[in-house]
Amino acid sequence: MKCSVLQLIRRTTHTNFIQTLKTTHNPSHYYALLAPYRLYLSTAMQNIPQDPNSSEQLSALNKHFSTFSYVRNNRSEDDRLLYSRIKTSPCPQTYPHLVRWYNHVNRTMSTGSEAEQPGKVSRGQPTWYRPDENTAQLKIYNSLTRRKDTFVPANGMNVTWYNCGPTVYDASHMGHARSYITFDILRRIMTDYFGFNILYVMNITDIDDKIIYRARTKFLLDRYRSEMGTRDKNEVLSEIRQSVDDFKLKTSKMSAEDPKLKMMQKVLDGLAPVLHMDDCDLGELLTLASMAMETWLDTRFGADVTDHSIFAALTQHWESEFHNDLRDLNVLPADVLTRVTDYVPEIIEYVQKIIENGYGYASNGSVYFDSAAWRRDRGYLAKLKPESVGDLDALAEGEGKFTDINSKEKKNQVDFALWKSSKPGEPFWDSPWGKGRPGWHIECSAMADSICTNQLDIHSGGEDLLFPHHDNEILQAEGYSNSKQWVNYFIHAGHLSIEGCKMSKSLKNFITIKDALKKNTGRQLRIHFLCHSWHGGLDYSESGMSEAVTTEKYFNDFFLLVKYHKASLGEGISSFTKLSPLELKLYENLQECQKIVHNALADSFDTPTAMRALKSVVSDSYTYLSEQKEQPNVRLLIQVAVYVTKILSVFGVVSSPDKIGFASASEGSVSTEDIALPFVKALSEFRDDVRTAARELKAHDILNKCDNLRDNVLPELGVRLEDREVGEPAVFKVDDKETLLREKKQRQEEILRKEREKAEKAAAREKAAREKLEKGKMSPDQMFRNEQYSAWNEQGLPTHDAKGNEVTKSQMKKLQKLQANQEKLHKAYLQHISDLEI
């Protein structure tokens, strides 16, 4: 009976191993049969110690090799790696089996067909030692596991990514910016740094309960306003007052913890002064009462709104505004954009398949997901936030304004709508279950699968979508395909707060993207986001944005300084110089920065650490320039600037990675900087010569004109000029004109602020002096002669109070101190009068 090769390896000795193989197997298969031997050895040594030279490690290896036999000139890669880590030949008496293995590998280290003989020069190549692999692999914080998982795409370097887009019924706000800037940064890192090929799909929710209500009420309110002028004023006034009364009643029934209560109460407070004025302006009153009138009108006439174009007009307007906001934030457009209204047929087919698979049921024209059937087969109802299962408030919010979570149509309270039967006043599509429209959760599952065929590498959205939206998406998708895992990596952007508080219209901190861009640029917002964890909380605040502006300026000043030195870079071999110790140190700092950045980005896109590393290498460059007494190594500075530019370009902060620094807002295909630099250099050098001559001649008018050129003329042309110490040439930089003018305006405002503060302090001092003089008019011996006292001494100090009681010693001391102070004030007053007379 023939035994297995592994049995031969373990049970035979080296001397009879080959002969045993030849007698128990077909000799022609001899070399092929060595493969299991190599596989066995590799498997047994898969955890090779980094340092195997301790006695414990050597003993373990000796025991490990006690059962091994070896084939001449045969060694595995693991043999070679372990051999390279053992510093000296082990002791034969202590580790005989390890020494046997060590000598065997030593004999095979020559790649020739025969082992090397003493005194004979080998003709084979010497052994090549493979470096240890220490490059960090990309890991992503995965909401499905709540840990950082190694990223492994399902299809090589090709990645499918679906991102939840907006519900377009209002202006995009900073909460939206949090998600879309965040995922744009991650997407750019994966494509431009790690080299993945990403299919990025994003949806637009253009049919939803919020959209229906907003479109309907806007249409009804606009119609009411246009017809108001032809109607009786008292009738209109009565209707508005009736709507406000209904609004008050609704407010009185709200919980004190309801976040909308404060805002609604403010509406009522604003209406109070004018609501019952018979001569009030109806247009102004309707504007103030619009929130109350919307509900009043929708209750009475909402069911009559049947024109689908009314809903489409609203969503098309706000979708267009949304894309404009993304453009201003420098967010890359999606590769594929899916709108719900374009995919209704696919959604209907998707719902039908879920029903066929036993996880959906029709009821009164609607279709619901059967949570009981799913729980019976799979045992869970949520993968992302299982602790939230049963949160009826969250489930109700997910179902929408017009859906009752306690509806009798459902088998279970936690069942959710896949397809909603349309009521009067709602848009509808024909379906096997009647006229209706898609539920909110189903749209993403169906559209993602339509593009990415039932498997997603990445799915993303805001943290607020974890439950129930994304958990319900998973149930639907896996119920449709009967798969175990629809998404491999679920990622969520952290919440955004405003000055430490939740963003809310009632708190007056609701900030649209357009509002934010009036204060800061899209680049500054992105820098602020980069300096914070993408899946942690982010506070949008004045102090945070101030730090972002400072960081932007820090990088920009460095880029401009490098460009200044670049202008003086020679040509040919003279531009290459030997690296000094200072330059070697800077080069090492650059390499360390590159290592830190790579490890940080591989560690679940840790951009805060990467940004700190970039600022650190810029700081190192400034240190080098301050310590370098001779001409700096411009090529090294350029290398640092190019790397920093490259990483900032990966982050979407820099738009032109092939140029150093930030591109000018007005810069086209031809760099104005490259054209202007020679002229700016000539002008700067000429100005240096003029200033030197003017200082020698003490020509202050000429020096003032040089300052005016620096402060007012050149900024208008996009040129920054910075004077240095006497005798040193000015530093010239071609910068963004808008940035320079903004800085100029800030300097002027700062000057005005200081002058204003100075004037205010002077006015306060003058006022205090007047009050002091006014107080000093009274003579010290008269200051206590009032109804509080009944007797006084020669100095005018009270001796008895109004009731005739003698003033105590402690009281007398206080009165004497007050009188002494008044005496000083009175003398100052008399001196002031005397000075005026003179």
Side-chain angles (χ1 to χ4, degrees), residues 32-64:
L33 290 171
L34 293 179
Y37 165 74
R38 298 190 184 98
L39 176 64
Y40 174 78
L41 182 61
S42 177
T43 303
M45 294 181 60
Q46 59 184 338
N47 296 314
I48 298 174
Q50 290 291 328
D51 183 11
N53 296 287
S54 67
S55 58
E56 292 83 359
Q57 291 282 8
L58 292 174
S59 296
L61 287 170
N62 183 67
K63 182 179 180 181
H64 175 73

Side-chain angles (χ1 to χ4, degrees), residues 289-456:
S290 59
M291 184 178 290
M293 279 297 290
E294 284 177 355
T295 305
W296 189 85
L297 288 169
D298 191 61
T299 302
R300 285 158 180 76
F301 309 110
D304 300 333
V305 179
T306 57
D307 186 354
H308 279 213
S309 65
I310 292 172
F311 306 102
L314 178 79
T315 58
Q316 288 169 8
H317 168 75
W318 288 117
E319 182 188 341
S320 177
E321 290 296 302
F322 170 72
H323 290 301
N324 291 338
D325 288 340
L326 293 192
R327 179 201 61 213
D328 294 339
L329 294 172
N330 194 31
V331 172
L332 296 172
D335 297 317
V336 179
L337 191 76
T338 60
R339 298 182 185 88
V340 180
T341 53
D342 293 337
Y343 281 80
V344 172
E346 288 83 353
I347 292 172
I348 291 173
E349 180 183 343
Y350 205 85
V351 173
Q352 285 180 305
K353 183 68 177 297
I354 293 175
I355 294 174
E356 291 171 7
N357 289 343
Y359 300 121
Y361 60 91
S363 177
N364 199 26
S366 297
V367 180
Y368 296 95
F369 188 84
D370 192 339
S371 58
W374 182 266
R375 192 196 295 266
R376 180 189 65 237
D377 291 351
R378 300 294 183 99
Y380 61 87
L381 286 178
K383 284 187 173 182
L384 294 166
K385 288 189 73 176
E387 65 273 19
S388 294
V389 172
D391 184 344
L392 299 183
D393 290 338
L395 290 168
E397 186 175 354
E399 288 298 85
K401 184 180 182 71
F402 301 137
T403 303
D404 182 8
I405 192 173
N406 297 310
S407 171
K408 300 296 184 181
E409 295 178 356
K410 300 194 299 181
K411 294 180 180 180
N412 294 285
Q413 200 173 27
V414 295
D415 293 351
F416 54 90
L418 303 175
W419 182 264
K420 296 182 178 182
S421 175
S422 290
K423 304 178 185 68
E426 298 179 5
F428 61 85
W429 287 261
D430 290 327
S431 77
W433 316 286
K435 297 183 184 300
R437 55 190 176 88
W440 178 37
H441 310 301
I442 194 66
E443 63 184 61
C444 290
S445 304
M447 293 190 295
D449 281 353
S450 294
I451 305 300
C452 303
T453 61
N454 304 333
Q455 178 66 61
L456 288 174

Side-chain angles (χ1 to χ4, degrees), residues 585-628:
K585 181 180 178 182
L586 178 57
Y587 186 73
E588 290 173 359
N589 291 338
L590 174 59
Q591 289 184 311
E592 181 64 19
C593 170
Q594 292 167 335
K595 178 182 176 182
I596 292 172
V597 168
H598 177 79
N599 290 339
L601 297 186
D603 186 22
S604 191
F605 314 109
D606 183 4
T607 58
T609 297
M611 290 291 284
R612 287 193 296 271
L614 294 181
K615 288 196 282 188
S616 178
V617 79
V618 170
S619 176
D620 294 335
S621 300
Y622 278 123
T623 301
Y624 160 70
L625 286 169
S626 67
E627 295 177 354
Q628 179 73 8

Side-chain angles (χ1 to χ4, degrees), residues 499 528 539 541-548:
E499 298 287 354
H528 181 50
D539 188 42
S541 62
E542 289 290 340
S543 60
M545 289 312 304
S546 177
E547 290 179 12

Side-chain angles (χ1 to χ4, degrees), residues 521-694:
T521 65
R523 178 192 297 160
Q524 290 162 354
L525 288 171
R526 186 173 289 254
I527 289 173
H528 181 50
F529 284 28
L530 284 163
C531 293
H532 295 80
S533 167
W534 64 269
H535 60 85
L538 172 66
D539 188 42
Y540 174 74
S541 62
E542 289 290 340
S543 60
M545 289 312 304
S546 177
E547 290 179 12
V549 172
T550 301
T551 298
E552 179 192 41
K553 187 176 186 304
Y554 186 70
F555 284 128
N556 193 44
D557 288 346
F558 172 67
F559 292 141
L560 295 176
L561 183 62
V562 173
K563 291 176 183 178
Y564 164 75
H565 286 292
K566 184 182 178 183
S568 63
L569 181 65
E571 297 180 355
I573 62 174
S574 62
S575 64
F576 294 91
T577 58
K578 180 181 178 180
L579 294 180
S580 68
L582 284 176
E583 288 155 358
L584 285 171
K585 181 180 178 182
L586 178 57
Y587 186 73
E588 290 173 359
N589 291 338
L590 174 59
Q591 289 184 311
E592 181 64 19
C593 170
Q594 292 167 335
K595 178 182 176 182
I596 292 172
V597 168
H598 177 79
N599 290 339
L601 297 186
D603 186 22
S604 191
F605 314 109
D606 183 4
T607 58
T609 297
M611 290 291 284
R612 287 193 296 271
L614 294 181
K615 288 196 282 188
S616 178
V617 79
V618 170
S619 176
D620 294 335
S621 300
Y622 278 123
T623 301
Y624 160 70
L625 286 169
S626 67
E627 295 177 354
Q628 179 73 8
K629 303 304 179 184
E630 301 175 357
Q631 178 68 20
N633 188 315
V634 180
R635 288 192 177 278
L636 179 56
L637 291 173
I638 291 174
Q639 192 174 356
V640 174
V642 165
Y643 176 73
V644 175
T645 300
K646 172 190 170 184
I647 299 302
L648 291 179
S649 172
V650 168
F651 294 160
V653 175
V654 174
S655 57
S656 301
D658 54 332
K659 300 174 184 177
I660 291 176
F662 304 133
S664 169
S666 58
E667 190 171 296
S669 58
V670 179
S671 172
T672 55
E673 178 182 334
D674 294 339
I675 297 173
L677 267 177
F679 300 97
V680 174
K681 181 181 180 183
L683 176 63
S684 177
E685 291 173 350
F686 175 74
R687 177 177 172 276
D688 288 339
D689 294 339
V690 170
R691 292 180 75 236
T692 300

